[in-house]
Amino acid sequence: MRFAKSSIHVAVTLILFVACSLPSRRAWSYTPQDPVVQAMVNRGLAYLEGVDWKGGIKQMDGTKILAAYAHYKVKHNPSHPLVQEGIKSVNAILKIVETDPNSKKMNYEVAVAVLLLAEIDPKAYDSQLRTFQKYLFDAQRAHGGWTYFAVEHGDVSQTQYALLAIWTLDRVGIKLDYRKVAAAAQWLLRVQDPSGAWPYHGVDPGRGGLIGQDELSYSMAIAGGSSVLIAGDALRLWGDLTENDTGIFGLPQAVKVSRADENVERRQRASLSSKPILAACDRMDAYRGKNPYRRKPDDWFYYQLYTLERYESFLETAYAESKDLSPDWYNRGVDELRRSQDGRSGGWIAGSPASHPVKTAFAVLFLIRSTQTAIKTMGEGTARGGWGFGEDVSKAELGADGSVKTKPIAVAVTDLLNILEGDNADSLADKSLPEDLQLSEEPVARAAQLDRLERLVRGSRSWQARRVASRLLGKSDEFRVVPALIFALTDPDPMVKRFARDGLRYISRKFEGFGMPDKPSVAQINDAQKKWRAWYLSVRPDYVFIDQ
């Protein structure tokens, strides 16, 4: 069951940041795809790339991992030096977790380590993710929250990050004890202040209702709200919103079946209702309405911006409401970040120099709506850059003996797909491929063929498979395949790029395209992708690109 969103929350979003000294009238309504926002993000990434990560930051500092995560969320390049530095820090933390987990305060570090590894490749890092999962549950206190070692009261901030990591583990299929997730949510519900805020450290009243808490703040209020929503989403309290979705817009429905949800029965063992969680969020929104945010010098502003984006994104999911592509809270946040971004370095460098990379990473994650993207991309079967795919994408068989002996190799798209999805697709390079292949005219069969072709162009490790898939998608004249073809413009194989470019020109009827030559530079590819995305959004304004 879902509950109607309270008028309190709607009102609060209209007054958020009202006292941030912003202009009385905004000239912009932003989205993450807005050129202004993308320019801010790129300058922020350039700043992070220029930090002396090898000499200036300790190896086990979570700052490296957070910066690597922000960079990867935008560039999707696991080999970038910054991402590699982040992975080195993850490995250092992993060693501590495996040998002496109680010797350090590791909850934040482990949480962001999970985010990074799961974003890059959860299949390749499965063992490490399971080790971190064990650490998180071992570190959970009896009351249900997380905190520093040797501290009694639970820490709402640390609990938020632990739950975000656990939610991520859930979404990539790691088996979890959901009773522990429910216990964390129940602790959060118990330590909420009667005003609706949450404290930094929560005094657990046990049974008997809410009690007054100390250390209340705006950032902890939204951290608590974010945390209970994360737990509720991991428990699927408002339904499994991924059950009819691949998790990535533009990917086929068939990707869903590549990963079974092994946690269904485990979730059912946890006893918790959605009603108290949403009621707690309504109380928190009432608190926000009475206590609008007022920025103070170096007051965890960037931390709370990232938390706010997380809270609002999970709230959208909980209420299953239509999403405002340019919400007021996002516009105000972008305006403030525009004002505070350093003109020289591109970073956000208020306060202590040691905090500049963290603030910049938080700012980038807010600007790209990273939680909204994660919710869409962390569904079962999600695939980007090889997620869930091996050499054999669908485990299809060519025949009883596994061989293909006829020439031409395939006379129908379905036959060709069976070959291309096999283990030896690259061996077809010297074989003849029919030039007049046509997709089925029967709607159901045609949709299934397009699903498989999109899956190949995004996930196959065979250059031959991606070539044929991009060529056939481009000939399909189907508007739905445009995002897959935009993705294929960055394929390492030059022919895939060319087929994708020509297909976009044909489908859009923009036969001159956007100037991408046969042998494009990286800058020309990026420019073409940017312009094709803008064109697609002009026709499909509700679409959200994640491959950028």
Side-chain angles (χ1 to χ4, degrees):
M1 177 181 292
R2 297 187 178 98
F3 298 84
K5 188 172 184 180
S6 73
S7 59
I8 294 174
H9 181 266
V10 175
V12 168
T13 58
L14 296 177
I15 64 173
L16 183 62
F17 298 130
V18 69
C20 287
S21 301
L22 298 177
S24 59
R25 298 184 64 185
R26 280 188 284 102
W28 296 89
S29 291
Y30 304 104
T31 69
Q33 289 77 39
D34 189 289
V36 171
V37 174
Q38 291 192 10
M40 293 169 68
V41 169
N42 288 333
R43 293 181 62 229
L45 293 182
Y47 167 80
L48 291 175
E49 291 170 355
V51 171
D52 180 13
W53 294 106
K54 294 184 178 180
I57 305 292
K58 294 180 180 179
Q59 184 64 39
M60 290 175 292
D61 194 317
T63 300
K64 282 186 181 181
I65 307 173
L66 184 68
Y69 176 65
H71 194 281
Y72 188 85
K73 287 285 286 187
V74 179
K75 297 297 185 181
H76 311 304
N77 181 6
S79 62
H80 190 279
L82 174 51
V83 178
Q84 288 297 306
E85 283 296 315
I87 292 173
K88 288 179 183 177
S89 288
V90 170
N91 290 334
I93 291 165
L94 183 69
K95 186 175 180 180
I96 292 175
V97 166
E98 291 174 330
T99 56
D100 189 11
N102 290 330
S103 65
K104 299 287 183 181
K105 51 179 187 180
M106 303 295 292
N107 293 332
Y108 285 119
E109 291 83 355
V110 167
V112 293
V114 167
L115 298 184
L116 178 61
L117 296 188
E119 186 73 18
I120 294 174
D121 192 337
K123 184 176 179 180
Y125 292 114
D126 181 81
S127 174
Q128 294 92 328
L129 291 173
R130 291 179 189 276
T131 298
F132 287 138
Q133 177 259 324
K134 183 179 184 304
Y135 167 85
L136 287 169
F137 282 140
D138 286 347
Q140 187 178 16
R141 297 304 178 86
H143 49 60
W146 281 262
T147 189
Y148 290 128
F149 183 66
V151 175
E152 177 184 356
H153 296 309
D155 181 316
V156 170
S157 179
Q158 290 190 57
T159 298
Q160 175 189 206
Y161 275 82
L163 282 172
L164 181 60
I166 288 168
W167 176 87
T168 302
L169 292 166
D170 166 81
R171 290 291 171 166
V172 299
I174 302 293
K175 290 183 179 180
L176 302 173
D177 184 346
Y178 289 88
R179 291 170 296 188
K180 290 181 175 290
V181 179
Q186 288 162 344
W187 175 77
L188 287 159
L189 294 173
R190 292 195 302 271
V191 302
Q192 186 180 27
D193 186 79
S195 68
W198 266 275
Y200 179 25
H201 294 102
V203 177
D204 192 342
R207 297 181 181 180
L210 303 179
I211 63 172
Q213 302 280 348
D214 296 325
E215 300 179 288
L216 302 179
S217 69
Y218 185 95
S219 62
M220 285 301 99
I222 55 176
S226 169
S227 300
V228 292
L229 288 169
I230 293 168
D233 196 75
L235 293 167
R236 305 294 198 274
L237 295 186
W238 19 91
D240 187 351
L241 303 181
T242 66
E243 59 188 4
N244 293 315
D245 189 4
T246 64
I248 290 185
F249 291 158
L251 278 180
Q253 295 291 330
V255 176
K256 170 74 176 179
V257 302
S258 70
R259 182 191 291 274
D261 184 358
E262 300 179 4
N263 284 317
V264 172
E265 293 183 2
R266 290 169 174 263
R267 279 191 208 95
Q268 294 171 351
R269 300 172 194 166
S271 177
L272 189 66
S273 164
S274 61
K275 189 172 182 178
I277 289 179
L278 298 180
C281 290
D282 283 345
R283 288 193 296 271
M284 195 277 287
D285 279 342
Y287 168 85
R288 286 205 294 171
K290 296 176 182 178
N291 301 274
Y293 176 73
R294 290 178 172 84
R295 186 175 180 184
K296 301 174 184 177
D298 206 22
D299 64 347
W300 302 97
F301 171 71
Y302 301 94
Y303 166 93
Q304 73 87 14
L305 264 189
Y306 178 39
T307 305
L308 175 66
E309 190 274 328
R310 184 180 308 119
Y311 173 76
E312 294 287 354
S313 295
F314 275 105
L315 199 67
E316 289 174 347
T317 303
Y319 284 107
E321 62 184 9
S322 59
K323 298 173 179 59
D324 185 348
L325 298 179
S326 183
D328 190 73
W329 59 264
Y330 180 75
N331 286 319
R332 292 183 181 277
V334 174
D335 274 333
E336 179 64 14
L337 290 175
R338 286 186 72 182
R339 287 156 39 100
S340 56
Q341 187 172 23
D342 184 61
R344 254 183 102 180
S345 69
W348 282 268
I349 58 173
S352 167
S355 70
H356 296 172
V358 174
K359 291 173 179 175
T360 301
F362 280 147
V364 168
L365 290 168
F366 173 86
L367 290 169
I368 66 172
R369 291 294 312 269
S370 61
T371 307
Q372 182 189 70
T373 301
I375 290 170
K376 289 173 178 173
T377 61
M378 285 287 182
E380 277 87 26
T382 294
R384 184 193 312 128
W387 281 22
F389 294 134
E391 293 291 347
D392 178 357
V393 176
S394 71
K395 304 302 181 185
E397 296 181 357
L398 302 184
D401 62 355
S403 63
V404 179
K405 300 179 180 178
T406 58
K407 289 190 178 183
I409 292 175
V411 294
V413 169
T414 299
D415 294 336
L416 179 61
L417 284 167
N418 289 338
I419 297 170
L420 295 176
E421 291 173 334
D423 290 328
N424 299 309
D426 283 350
S427 67
L428 308 181
D430 59 347
K431 310 284 179 65
S432 59
L433 292 173
E435 293 294 330
D436 58 350
L437 279 172
Q438 298 294 326
L439 294 167
S440 173
E441 295 183 1
E442 195 279 315
V444 174
R446 183 182 182 88
Q449 290 173 345
L450 290 171
D451 284 348
R452 295 171 74 182
L453 288 167
E454 287 182 288
R455 192 164 37 153
L456 285 168
V457 85
R458 286 183 180 267
S460 177
R461 296 179 183 176
S462 161
W463 60 269
Q464 180 72 7
R466 299 195 307 277
R467 278 189 185 183
V468 176
S470 61
R471 188 178 74 177
L472 287 175
L473 287 174
K475 292 171 58 178
S476 70
D477 206 20
E478 293 275 356
F479 194 68
R480 58 164 273 190
V481 308
V482 167
L485 292 174
I486 294 174
F487 174 85
L489 293 176
T490 59
D491 196 278
D493 182 79
M495 289 302 297
V496 175
K497 290 186 180 77
R498 197 173 306 172
F499 287 139
R501 176 204 64 187
D502 294 346
L504 288 167
R505 291 175 175 178
Y506 174 64
I507 293 170
S508 67
R509 301 303 189 265
K510 293 176 138 338
F511 296 110
E512 295 300 318
F514 291 111
M516 180 174 154
D518 288 347
K519 296 181 179 179
S521 65
V522 172
Q524 288 171 322
I525 292 170
N526 290 340
D527 183 63
Q529 281 192 312
K530 181 178 177 181
K531 290 176 178 177
W532 280 117
R533 289 189 191 107
W535 169 77
Y536 193 65
L537 288 170
S538 71
V539 185
R540 281 276 313 276
D542 61 334
Y543 190 82
V544 177
F545 283 97
I546 57 94
D547 296 308
Q548 58 178 345

